[in-house]
Amino acid sequence: MFHSFLAKSVSLLLVLAFCLSFSSCKGKEKSDGMTTGDESEITTGDELDFVSLDNVAYGDDEKQKFDIVMPKKNGGGAVIVMIHGGAWTDGGKGEFGNMMYDFYEAGITFASINYRFASDDVSMDEILDDVTAALKKIKETAKDNGIELKNAMLGGISAGGQTALLYAYSKRDDSPIDVKCCLGMSAVSDMTDESLWFGNALDSLMTSRKMADIAADLCKFEFDKTNFENAIPYLKAISPLNYANNAVPTILAHGQADDIIKYDIAVRMYNALTENGIECDFVDFPHSGHSLESDDVSKINLNRLISEYCDKYLK
């Protein structure tokens, strides 16, 4: 499926990028995010300096699970929590499987979460509730392993980027871990942009649901081209751009050749943050599309900024 291809492409990018500034990866790669099973600790040696758990449940739904890697020597209660992409209807936490072990030597816990997909019964509100529930269980799981988590970077890709930004800007008071900064890669930061829902490149690749149908589930308002203006207030309510005045320090990364989420949308988000006095760094990928597949220098810059934000805000 196309979303899965994008997820794998971005994951490969991030493996290369993060290994530039963090120590070499150890342990094993995570499996696909939709696997089932109970909590399982990886035991590849007697002298491991991390604890790794797969498929930790934070709710009753099969999708309410996360993977986590916890350093035994925690760096000041720091955690990075990533949210996968897939147009809110596909993908899984396995998207970040190759990144899971890149942070523990720096004393940073890393978690990758699944969430319930958009449907008649699951709107953006429910997805945000999943983030809260996941963060609560992540904190409890770390505490059970002798780690007190205090500060979080919340990040994501594409739809996951939108979810991360929206939560950090509008719902962080609900978070059991202080969300200090945010990372949005190819993020859907302005949900009111008509190009997202009509004529989007993804529509031709979807067999059942179109982008506008997914958006209607997310914002709780049915719309098409004829009444799109009526949908704007509902879409605005789930747009990170709408909460720029309440944002946390943010890293944005976007490809100029993105034909799924227009580059201008990211620029709009950056401008709104800076106009509101919010620290924001924008990493431009001039030759990349949605999966940030090119621009090695941009990958290095993105990696450097993530490292700097972790040091500045999480430790």
Side-chain angles (χ1 to χ4, degrees), residues 25-64:
C25 304
K26 297 183 180 179
K28 69 177 183 180
E29 295 180 4
K30 298 292 184 180
S31 58
D32 179 79
M34 300 314 298
T35 56
T36 60
D38 298 326
E39 297 182 9
S40 58
E41 182 173 345
I42 294 176
T43 54
T44 56
D46 295 331
E47 298 181 357
L48 292 178
D49 49 4
F50 63 86
V51 176
S52 175
L53 299 174
D54 295 339
N55 297 309
V56 182
Y58 65 87
D60 296 330
D61 192 281
E62 176 60 28
K63 293 185 178 68
Q64 293 174 312

Side-chain angles (χ1 to χ4, degrees), residues 136-272:
K136 180 180 179 181
K137 184 64 175 180
I138 287 168
K139 184 173 184 178
E140 292 172 354
T141 302
K143 188 173 184 179
D144 290 343
N145 286 274
I147 298 170
E148 188 69 34
L149 294 181
K150 300 176 182 178
N151 303 316
M153 171 187 284
L154 195 59
I157 296 169
S158 193
Q162 178 269 345
T163 303
L165 295 176
L166 182 63
Y167 189 92
Y169 298 175
S170 70
K171 298 287 286 185
R172 67 178 180 274
D173 287 346
D174 296 339
S175 177
I177 307 171
D178 286 341
V179 179
K180 295 294 190 181
C181 55
C182 201
L183 168 64
M185 296 174 286
S186 303
V188 194
S189 51
D190 183 5
M191 302 282 277
T192 70
D193 195 297
E194 189 171 354
S195 69
L196 295 168
W197 317 121
F198 305 110
N200 193 294
L202 291 182
D203 274 342
S204 63
L205 297 162
M206 292 180 169
T207 56
S208 56
R209 307 178 69 201
K210 301 301 182 183
M211 292 296 289
D213 299 326
I214 297 170
D217 286 337
L218 290 171
C219 74
K220 301 179 182 178
F221 183 81
E222 296 288 338
F223 66 90
D224 55 28
K225 276 191 173 183
T226 63
N227 69 335
F228 181 70
E229 290 297 320
N230 296 332
I232 288 178
Y234 297 90
L235 293 168
K236 185 177 180 181
I238 59 172
S239 293
L241 184 67
N242 188 47
Y243 305 95
N245 64 341
N246 191 49
V248 296
T250 299
I251 302 169
L252 298 173
H254 215 95
Q256 289 191 27
D258 194 335
D259 62 348
I260 295 172
I261 303 165
K262 295 189 306 183
Y263 180 77
D264 288 349
I265 292 176
V267 174
R268 206 175 302 154
M269 185 75 250
Y270 172 78
N271 288 338

Side-chain angles (χ1 to χ4, degrees), residues 186 254-259 285-295:
S186 303
H254 215 95
Q256 289 191 27
D258 194 335
D259 62 348
F285 282 69
H287 305 103
S288 296
H290 190 61
S291 58
L292 305 178
E293 67 280 356
S294 303
D295 304 297

